[in-house]
Amino acid sequence: MMNSRIPSPPTKLFDAVSIVVHEHARRLARHHDVTVFLGQEKGTPRSERHEGVHYLRMPLLADRAINRLKVLDRFKRPDRPFRTTAAYYAPFAMRVARVLAKERFDVVHLHSVVNFLPRLRRALPEARLVAHIHDHSMRDFDGPSAEARLRRADLVLACSEHVIDKVRHRFPVLAG
């Protein structure tokens, strides 16, 4: 009897973004060195390879504690949620930036969390930063803050023409 088990990725594919990240990574890994940074869940290894992709996990304990501040969204500026602040996943972003700088990555493809762009640009001044917008979350950022973050990217992509049109409309200076 032949084993016909389909190899499953070493990460949970629980939403559209995780599926896109997985598919991009495994396809790029055919011809490039690819590392995907993830939060480390209990019982998962810090580092592993699958289909040519290096999965590197970072602890999230501090992030989970800090992210409890999102409860303030109900009381203070609900139009600008906590996830739009520099504090959102800040320890994770700092750890990733340190690894990226040490290893000298050429391209960083960031999915949805544009808050990380300033920190990543400081860590990797010569790298190409790609911001990939998957939803309408950019509408939650105040204009000047979001524009300043997006200016750190070398390329801004979106999952659809509809989403990128919304970004272009909101930030006409960055439309190109």
Side-chain angles (χ1 to χ4, degrees):
M1 178 182 252
M2 202 165 95
N3 183 355
S4 60
R5 181 174 175 259
I6 297 172
S8 62
T11 182
K12 295 176 188 171
L13 299 180
F14 57 87
D15 63 5
V17 175
S18 63
I19 293 168
V20 168
V21 170
H22 170 70
E23 289 300 324
H24 284 173
R26 70 186 203 81
R27 288 183 171 119
L28 283 168
R30 293 176 189 157
H31 304 287
H32 304 281
D33 291 329
V34 176
T35 300
V36 173
F37 292 87
L38 306 163
Q40 187 170 20
E41 300 294 329
K42 187 176 182 178
T44 60
R46 168 112 161 84
S47 176
E48 69 181 298
R49 288 198 169 274
H50 179 76
E51 291 187 278
V53 178
H54 178 209
Y55 289 89
L56 188 56
R57 294 179 180 83
M58 304 286 160
L60 293 177
L61 190 59
D63 297 284
R64 288 191 174 124
I66 292 168
N67 289 349
R68 288 186 180 152
L69 292 173
K70 70 183 173 188
V71 72
L72 298 175
D73 288 351
R74 296 184 202 146
F75 309 106
K76 186 178 181 184
R77 300 218 48 202
D79 59 323
R80 299 287 177 246
F82 174 74
R83 65 183 172 72
T84 66
T85 69
Y88 183 71
Y89 281 97
F92 177 84
M94 285 187 278
R95 286 184 188 100
V96 169
R98 277 195 301 266
V99 172
L100 291 172
K102 181 180 174 189
E103 300 294 325
R104 298 188 175 255
F105 283 66
D106 298 320
V107 177
V108 177
H109 191 155
L110 183 65
H111 292 268
S112 291
V113 190
V114 298
N115 316 27
F116 296 176
L117 284 167
R119 182 169 279 123
L120 295 177
R121 176 54 68 209
R122 282 190 303 275
L124 297 157
E126 302 300 317
R128 299 287 187 219
L129 298 183
V130 178
H132 197 148
I133 313 300
H134 288 272
D135 57 20
H136 302 285
S137 63
M138 292 305 299
R139 72 173 178 253
D140 293 335
F141 287 81
D142 67 81
S145 171
E147 187 175 310
R149 289 172 181 163
L150 288 172
R151 282 185 180 280
R152 305 283 193 343
D154 295 291
L155 176 65
V156 178
L157 303 173
C159 64
S160 70
E161 283 299 317
H162 177 75
V163 172
I164 202 68
D165 286 344
K166 295 285 186 188
V167 173
R168 284 183 185 126
H169 178 73
R170 179 113 192 269
F171 309 105
V173 163
L174 304 173

